[in-house]
Amino acid sequence: ILQLIGEELRGAWQRGWIREIHYPVLETSLVEMTAVQGGCERIKSTPIPFAYTVLIHRLVAFYCLMLPCGIIVQVGVLTPIVTMLIAYAFFGLDAIGDEIEEPFGVHPNDLPLTAITRTIEINLLQLLGEETVPEPLMPVNGVLN
């Protein structure tokens, strides 16, 4: 798509639809979009090594199991409550780490790429002065895709 946009931009400049002073600005924007797309593709295609995930899970579990031994003298009878609160926080952070490994999927916690692109489409059509624009996507069962 970016290549097609570049070809259209070049064609518009050759036809005289774009002034010479504006062409470099538009080309710079296209280069920036290409860089952003490349970054997103690297995020999507770079897997988190399985060993890393297993190590994090085991470290969190080991820390939470050993935590009472380290705080019992200072906390006393409240050790189970403090341990549960800290364990909840650590296991929650561990779960968040698992969720953000793949931000471009179709699960409820992934980025709503379809809705984002629809919003961009609506905005561009409105800028072009189109009379009919598609409706924004609405959440289905509380999830925006």
Side-chain angles (χ1 to χ4, degrees):
I1 292 173
L2 288 173
Q3 183 177 355
L4 291 174
I5 293 172
E7 291 170 4
E8 289 292 324
L9 179 63
R10 188 174 349 100
W13 178 71
Q14 289 172 343
R15 289 182 198 96
W17 296 349
I18 299 173
R19 293 185 183 179
E20 197 167 316
I21 194 168
H22 296 133
Y23 184 77
V25 175
L26 293 171
E27 189 175 10
T28 300
S29 295
L30 188 61
V31 168
E32 288 177 17
M33 284 194 301
T34 305
V36 168
Q37 179 186 5
C40 291
E41 287 175 355
R42 281 189 295 280
I43 290 171
K44 182 171 175 36
S45 64
T46 304
I48 302 294
F50 180 71
Y52 173 81
T53 304
V54 169
L55 179 65
I56 293 296
H57 291 313
R58 288 181 181 170
L59 280 174
V60 168
F62 179 74
Y63 179 81
C64 291
L65 285 173
M66 298 308 295
L67 181 62
C69 300
I71 64 172
I72 193 158
V73 174
Q74 290 85 10
V75 182
V77 295
L78 295 177
T79 299
I81 295 171
V82 172
T83 300
M84 286 190 317
L85 290 173
I86 294 172
Y88 178 79
F90 274 91
F91 282 115
L93 289 172
D94 188 31
I96 289 171
D98 289 341
E99 282 294 322
I100 63 174
E101 281 181 18
E102 289 188 45
F104 304 118
V106 292
H107 297 100
N109 285 333
D110 293 334
L111 293 172
L113 296 179
T114 306
I116 292 170
T117 54
R118 174 62 65 90
T119 302
I120 293 169
E121 177 186 11
I122 291 168
N123 291 341
L124 290 174
L125 289 172
Q126 288 173 341
L127 282 172
L128 293 172
E130 294 291 325
E131 301 266 337
T132 56
V133 295
E135 292 292 320
L137 295 179
M138 303 308 284
V140 176
N141 296 326
V143 177
L144 185 61
N145 289 323

